[in-house]
Amino acid sequence: MADVTSSTQRDATQRPEIDRNAIAIALHRRSRRFGLFFWIPMVWLIVVAVACIFAPFWGLPPADEIDWVYIQSPPVEGHPLGTDNLGRDLLSRIVWGGRVSLTVGFAAPFIGVGLGLILGLIAGYYRGWADEVIGILIDAWLAIPGLVILLLFSVVFGGSLFMVCVSLGLLFIPTAARITRAATLNYATREFVLAAKAMGASDIRILRKEVFPNIIWPLIAFVLIDIPIAIVVEGSLSFLGLSVKAPTPSWGGIIAEGREVLSTSPHIAMVPTVVMFLTVLSFNLVGDAIRRRLADVREGAI
Amino acid sequence: MGDIILDVRNQKTAFVTARGMAQAVDGVSFTLERGRTLGVVGESGSGKSVLSRSIMRLLPSNALVPADSRVILNGRDLTRMTETELRRLRGPEVAIIFQDPMTSLNPVLTIGRQITEVLTFHMGLKRRAARDRAIELLRAVGLPQPDVRVDQYPHQLSGGMRQRVAIAIAIACEPDLLIADEPTTALDVTVQAEILDLLQRMVRDRNMAMILITHDMGVVAGRCDDVAVMYAGRIVEKAPVRDLFHHTRMPYTAALLASIPKITDPPHRKLDAIEGRPPDIINPPPGCPFAPRCLRADAGCDAEKPVLAGTSRHQWACLNPLGEEAPA
Amino acid sequence: MRYLLYRLRRLAIVLGVVTFITFLLVNVLPGDVAYEMAGMDSSEEEVQAIREDLGLDRPVLLRYAEWVGGVFVGDWGTSYINQENVWEAITDRFPVSFELMLLAQIIALSLAIPAGVASAFRPNGRADRIIGSLAFASVSMPSFMTAILLIFIFALGFGWLPATGYEPISEGLWANLRPMILPALSLALVEWTVLMRTLRAEMIAVLQENYIALARAKGMSNMRILLVHALRPSSFSMITLLGLQVARLLGGTIIIEQIFGIPGVGRLLIHAVYTRDFIVIQGCVTFFALAFVTANFLVDIAYAWLDPRVRTGGAHG
């Protein structure tokens, strides 16, 4: 009864029954297949990834080399996307900046989910005071805006790529820990785990063999959601100049520099904005398609 | 013959599902006259509720109704109407009472508001007049302290009182046809009779026609004029209530009748539930849908789908009906 | 009632943990405020003198206890950089941030409610798919990107709205609102998608309810069913989310205030971070945590207004 309209308008479109059967099933199947909304973003992501990973081999000028001839220039020969306000090649900066974004985008969720997994397993498996303490820590974590946590960390621990990955990863702990805890609670009391306990299996072994395989899928789905978020947050941080230290380029940083000259050379801010937008959108679309597929596989619909 | 309020002709309703087409109502026809009550009886899944929603044209978007199905209410064909035209009929000409009064009233609106909105929309009553009328209606359905209750929310009422409110909503615009879809199934046994009596009185006083849908043969016994027994989306037997009870033709009806607990039964006697399950309506068997569970079924029943036959007074769909014993 | 007490105790502990962790963090800052105050070419002795002057050489735990004691009597400390009273610094700027957040949330809701209702009306219908795609695009645009795009189009392109700046309300309502529109919009264009998706999901479920079927059977129009019968019971998750979003919004204001030059708490915090003025950082973080806790408390009250079952306590079942 989800639809508030009547079915009157459909009455006329009656077709032979077999036919409609086939159509209904085919429609259902098609909505589950990887379509253009999966493959187009996938291709874009591959292009971006290849461009960034093999950045040193494209013969681009170094990202921090200043070309005194062309300062804040529109696209010219030698600078296919032009130069920024210091005369640095924009394309080169975007490609090298992408390395930062992609590294953080993949590393941070894995760090966060990894730590969250451990905390969630402890809280859900041992319960008691461990559960209580971890619960309070997570609540405290959630009561501070994520960006504020990152600001603190960036000042305290400095702007190395490694620290940016770690501190961004911390943002994903609470949700990952909650998912793990709920799932562990659910599985730790099931018969097969109790049976394993009765047979004298160690806690570590039970967690690894019995509980872990059952919670890995929701966590993979969660990582897929987190990748674009990590890229966005790193962008915000580097936009504030609190991510990796200059002169290492990063997308947020290039956009922040471009903002200064938005009225005279809008392309400096707009090109990295578009690249970053397309990349984040692609991660969202691909992640969404994979998650739906994962859900289907687990439900046994295919 | 009184005047005919409702004429349903060859109503078919199917749903598109991931597994295929589910034929929930499969060619149902009947007429209903003013002042009479038709009982529709069947197990859950027999298509009773879908039939009631098909009559009201209240189907979800994945429902398919073929073009030759007709629902004629007061001489007008509902299948040919637009949504706006239908909206004007729902309330003043046909109203429905649902099974579960716990879920059929809106939890965030007061009782009064849920009654008055019908009155202001369909009868053009002003706010104050609608409120007075709502209190009057609540008094009519036997709700104590109607002037207090009118400002309360559904959760503050008991199940029986909620169903009284649902009845008040249904009769607010004096409809010609009232559909009661298992109105007492969700209620305590002690309240059931009260609600059924109330319904009966309301229908008689206002000279309405009623379709009383239930799975309980005991409910139909004293309160209906005619009974239609449904199985797998079809009417399998239809007769005035007395004929149906005393000259049962369809083995399925007989099985339903046997499942009524009797006062004369010894206590703790096991109920005669019907063996087996209703057929899969997505892949129905080719022959009589009841054949797999029927004690009288033979090879012919598995091959041929029986159609409604008999007199205009008593009809049944069975190849080996009761009361026509083949000579031994 | 017992649950409420449990929640309150838990909130108090959470606030304690938040302030303590923050205190620890800002006090292990490698370059502390003493360097900043002493200037570039000061000697180690001078720095040490300033440190002792500020009491920074005493144990962290002791200083934390002093700070907490101060907070309870309304003394949040004094900025090391400009001697400003921290509590006053925050409360002076908070109305500005609050206005920004409120505007953003109003815009987000006025986008999310119609969009959510329209997509829930026919799931997978045309409207649903268009709105879903817009939401996907919208959520892929962080607020700083949206801000730059909006500035580029509406401030630089059309020149309709100022790119930066802030006017107090004393200059008139429109003068005050005009420079706030773009910042609020930048925040709202990210937040509305979450609200919309939550409302849509819950509304699809509510539209399956029997009381909606009864409302249709009563002959009510689609519009009336959606807005009068379905919207209120569908908005519980969305209201919860409004509370949780306060944390995200506070984070968002930091960046947006920076871009648009709005003198709010976010800018105060960023400035304090750049200058390592840790007592101000400490104050801001504590204030944010308090704001978050308060917002979620208000959400609980909003429930009572939305759901008569909570409000009247339920006489029967």
Side-chain angles (χ1 to χ4, degrees):
Chain A
M1 297 268 158
D3 202 319
V4 194
T5 57
S6 93
S7 63
T8 37
Q9 69 270 36
R10 282 191 182 233
D11 295 357
T13 62
Q14 179 86 347
R15 274 181 239 127
E17 229 165 86
I18 311 283
D19 206 22
R20 280 181 292 136
N21 258 320
I23 291 171
I25 293 168
L27 268 175
H28 188 77
R29 286 253 170 85
R30 198 169 57 193
S31 67
R32 292 291 187 260
R33 255 203 334 249
F34 287 156
L36 281 183
F37 279 116
F38 174 80
W39 290 112
I40 294 176
M42 196 67 204
V43 167
W44 168 259
L45 288 181
I46 292 171
V47 168
V48 171
V50 167
C52 293
I53 293 168
F54 301 104
F57 305 109
W58 306 132
L60 291 166
D64 51 355
E65 186 186 76
I66 292 166
D67 188 335
W68 295 102
V69 183
Y70 299 104
I71 287 184
Q72 211 179 315
S73 142
V76 287
E77 208 185 334
H79 301 293
L81 292 178
T83 57
D84 71 1
N85 39 348
L86 293 177
R88 298 174 295 192
D89 183 67
L90 193 58
L91 178 63
S92 172
R93 287 183 69 74
I94 289 174
V95 169
W96 283 91
R99 287 169 78 111
V100 174
S101 291
L102 292 187
T103 310
V104 175
F106 279 101
F110 276 102
I111 294 172
V113 169
L115 293 173
L117 176 73
I118 295 170
L119 288 177
L121 281 175
I122 294 173
Y125 190 76
Y126 294 107
R127 317 276 348 253
W129 65 267
D131 192 16
E132 191 76 8
V133 169
I134 291 171
I136 286 172
L137 282 176
I138 288 174
D139 276 4
W141 214 224
L142 288 174
I144 322 176
L147 204 61
V148 175
I149 299 180
L150 290 174
L151 290 182
L152 286 178
F153 272 76
S154 75
V155 199
V156 178
F157 299 112
S160 74
L161 185 58
F162 176 71
M163 275 326 293
V164 171
C165 290
V166 171
S167 50
L168 246 158
L170 295 178
L171 285 190
F172 301 116
I173 291 180
T175 323
R178 281 186 173 176
I179 294 174
T180 314
R181 179 181 171 274
T184 311
L185 272 179
N186 188 11
Y187 283 106
T189 50
R190 295 251 180 113
E191 293 81 16
F192 58 85
V193 175
L194 295 177
K197 255 186 196 167
M199 290 169 68
S202 72
D203 286 350
I204 297 286
R205 196 186 147 77
I206 291 174
L207 285 176
R208 196 164 53 94
K209 289 273 183 193
E210 312 286 357
V211 178
F212 186 71
N214 285 308
I215 54 180
I216 191 72
W217 290 111
L219 286 180
I220 287 183
F222 184 63
V223 168
L224 287 172
I225 306 174
D226 285 347
I227 291 175
I229 297 179
I231 295 179
V232 162
V233 178
E234 193 279 332
S236 310
L237 213 52
S238 58
F239 183 83
L240 288 174
L242 295 166
S243 179
V244 289
K245 285 226 158 62
T248 311
S250 64
W251 287 348
I254 306 171
I255 297 173
E257 288 157 15
R259 181 173 76 104
E260 317 277 325
V261 290
L262 199 57
S263 47
T264 46
S265 314
H267 74 279
I268 298 174
M270 286 306 152
V271 175
T273 300
V274 170
V275 171
M276 188 169 165
F277 169 68
L278 289 178
T279 308
V280 174
L281 182 64
S282 300
F283 270 116
N284 277 328
L285 288 170
V286 168
D288 192 56
I290 294 178
R291 267 188 298 127
R292 250 186 286 166
R293 185 63 167 255
L294 276 181
D296 273 358
V297 170
R298 274 187 295 149
E299 283 161 18
I302 292 177
Chain B
M1 291 291 274
D3 60 323
I4 290 175
I5 299 249
L6 179 70
D7 183 0
V8 178
R9 290 183 207 156
N10 197 24
Q11 174 64 40
K12 290 184 177 182
T13 310
F15 295 102
V16 183
T17 69
R19 281 178 58 221
M21 299 291 297
Q23 194 68 46
V25 175
D26 195 4
V28 167
S29 305
F30 63 87
T31 58
L32 185 60
E33 292 156 23
R34 181 173 290 283
R36 291 182 76 84
T37 298
L38 171 72
V40 175
V41 192
E43 294 170 283
S44 51
S46 60
K48 305 166 302 205
S49 289
V50 178
L51 176 65
S52 69
R53 283 165 169 80
S54 302
I55 293 170
M56 294 208 66
R57 319 304 298 170
L58 281 175
L59 292 165
S61 59
N62 64 337
L64 287 169
V65 178
D68 59 342
S69 292
R70 286 278 174 283
V71 176
I72 297 162
L73 180 72
N74 284 333
R76 281 181 297 169
D77 188 351
L78 302 191
T79 53
R80 291 278 171 276
M81 285 192 177
T82 65
E83 181 61 23
T84 322
E85 289 171 316
L86 284 169
R87 212 176 283 146
R88 282 193 212 108
L89 295 186
R90 295 182 189 136
E93 294 194 24
V94 54
I96 193 166
I97 295 162
F98 286 122
Q99 174 175 345
D100 188 358
M102 303 292 169
T103 57
S104 62
L105 296 178
N106 194 321
V108 302
L109 300 178
T110 61
I111 307 293
R113 190 114 184 258
Q114 298 189 50
I115 303 176
T116 51
E117 69 174 357
V118 192
L119 297 168
T120 48
F121 179 80
H122 290 296
M123 329 239 323
L125 258 57
K126 292 276 173 292
R127 234 185 146 84
R128 274 234 62 90
R131 192 186 143 89
D132 293 343
R133 176 97 181 96
I135 295 174
E136 219 173 281
L137 280 163
L138 289 175
R139 189 170 290 127
V141 295
L143 200 72
Q145 294 176 284
D147 45 338
V148 179
R149 296 294 184 188
V150 74
D151 293 318
Q152 289 189 329
Y153 290 91
H155 71 273
Q156 294 167 297
L157 273 59
S158 70
M161 288 204 270
R162 278 185 238 193
Q163 201 60 305
R164 285 175 195 272
V165 172
I167 294 173
I169 293 173
I171 60 169
C173 299
E174 311 270 329
D176 301 302
L177 172 66
L178 182 65
I179 303 175
D181 188 353
E182 306 232 15
T184 57
T185 309
L187 299 177
D188 288 346
V189 187
T190 47
V191 190
Q192 288 189 1
E194 286 175 30
I195 295 291
L196 287 170
D197 289 344
L198 173 67
L199 267 176
Q200 221 177 348
R201 201 170 66 238
M202 291 295 147
V203 170
R204 204 177 43 232
D205 292 353
R206 289 168 169 74
N207 199 22
M208 302 192 275
M210 175 160 78
I211 299 177
L212 178 62
I213 295 173
T214 175
H215 63 269
D216 185 355
M217 270 290 185
V219 167
V220 212
R223 297 188 161 85
C224 297
D225 302 303
D226 302 286
V227 180
V229 177
M230 274 188 87
Y231 189 77
R234 296 154 163 262
I235 292 183
V236 293
E237 183 161 13
K238 187 162 100 53
V241 68
R242 193 168 288 275
D243 296 13
L244 190 91
F245 274 68
H246 295 297
H247 306 287
T248 313
R249 307 308 289 266
M250 173 71 194
Y252 176 64
T253 313
L256 279 180
L257 286 171
S259 66
I260 309 176
K262 294 173 189 66
I263 295 191
T264 51
D265 284 343
H268 308 300
R269 194 187 73 105
K270 200 165 163 276
L271 286 178
D272 284 329
I274 306 171
E275 290 287 318
R277 293 171 163 280
D280 180 3
I281 52 171
I282 292 176
N283 299 301
C288 172
F290 187 58
R293 302 164 75 186
C294 182
L295 299 172
R296 298 171 63 88
D298 56 27
C301 295
D302 288 327
E304 196 191 328
K305 207 168 255 190
V307 291
L308 268 183
T311 63
S312 64
R313 186 179 161 82
H314 191 158
Q315 294 178 300
W316 60 89
C318 183
L319 297 175
N320 291 317
L322 295 156
E324 283 178 22
E325 304 301 331
Chain C
M1 198 59 208
R2 262 188 60 191
Y3 178 74
L4 202 72
L5 280 178
Y6 172 78
R7 291 294 307 164
L8 275 175
R9 204 188 59 192
R10 178 94 173 218
L11 285 178
I13 298 176
V14 163
L15 280 178
V17 172
V18 167
T19 52
F20 184 64
I21 291 181
T22 316
F23 206 86
L24 275 185
L25 270 177
V26 292
N27 279 286
V28 295
L29 291 183
D32 68 29
V33 69
Y35 283 100
E36 210 77 21
M37 289 173 74
M40 281 300 209
D41 14 71
S42 52
S43 67
E44 191 58 35
E45 286 76 38
E46 283 172 304
V47 172
Q48 192 59 38
I50 293 175
R51 236 179 237 149
E52 275 166 31
D53 201 32
L54 294 172
L56 291 181
D57 52 342
R58 293 178 302 139
V60 170
L61 268 179
L62 187 69
R63 283 188 286 139
Y64 176 67
E66 278 176 12
W67 179 81
V68 171
V71 165
F72 275 110
V73 295
D75 174 17
W76 289 45
T78 317
S79 160
Y80 296 133
I81 305 296
N82 55 13
Q83 313 309 322
E84 202 177 352
N85 179 300
V86 174
W87 176 247
E88 275 168 18
I90 293 174
T91 45
D92 277 356
R93 290 166 176 81
F94 182 66
V96 179
S97 300
F98 185 74
E99 183 190 350
L100 175 59
M101 283 163 60
L102 195 68
L103 274 177
Q105 210 64 299
I106 289 171
I107 297 174
L109 276 175
S110 54
L111 288 172
I113 292 175
V117 171
S119 6
F121 178 51
R122 267 175 224 179
N124 289 322
R126 189 180 302 168
D128 186 28
R129 270 179 290 170
I130 292 173
I131 291 168
S133 314
L134 280 177
F136 243 115
S138 198
V139 86
S140 304
M141 291 268 283
S143 56
F144 73 90
M145 259 188 204
T146 319
I148 286 185
L149 222 57
L150 289 178
I151 290 178
F152 185 62
I153 297 171
F154 293 105
L156 300 181
F158 296 118
W160 291 342
L161 293 160
T164 56
Y166 172 77
E167 294 289 338
I169 191 88
S170 53
E171 300 291 312
L173 186 65
W174 176 236
N176 168 259
L177 281 181
R178 219 168 88 93
M180 279 296 206
I181 294 174
L182 289 184
L185 202 56
S186 312
L187 282 173
L189 283 179
V190 181
E191 299 301 324
W192 78 279
T193 54
V194 197
L195 295 171
M196 186 278 286
R197 283 179 183 164
T198 316
L199 176 64
R200 173 183 177 273
E202 200 168 358
M203 194 150 196
I204 288 174
V206 164
L207 287 177
Q208 318 261 8
E209 293 281 349
N210 280 335
Y211 57 81
I212 298 300
L214 186 68
R216 288 176 64 198
K218 278 151 74 175
M220 297 296 115
S221 66
N222 286 337
M223 206 47 118
R224 188 173 169 88
I225 287 173
L226 288 171
L227 298 182
V228 177
H229 288 263
L231 183 57
R232 204 130 64 98
S234 307
S235 45
F236 296 111
S237 309
M238 194 179 71
I239 301 286
T240 315
L241 205 67
L242 283 180
L244 293 172
Q245 260 183 338
V246 167
R248 281 172 48 137
L249 270 177
L250 284 167
T253 54
I254 297 176
I255 228 170
I256 292 299
E257 286 175 3
Q258 192 70 6
I259 295 177
F260 288 95
I262 296 168
V265 183
R267 252 189 126 195
L268 179 71
L269 173 64
I270 284 277
H271 187 72
V273 165
Y274 287 148
T275 56
R276 286 154 169 61
D277 193 352
F278 86 73
I279 197 91
V280 177
I281 299 178
Q282 176 76 38
C284 288
V285 174
T286 310
F287 188 80
F288 281 171
L290 262 177
F292 178 74
V293 168
T294 314
N296 284 287
F297 186 69
L298 289 177
V299 163
D300 286 344
I301 296 174
Y303 271 149
W305 171 74
L306 271 173
D307 190 347
R309 279 163 295 189
V310 178
R311 182 168 56 209
T312 53
H316 296 272

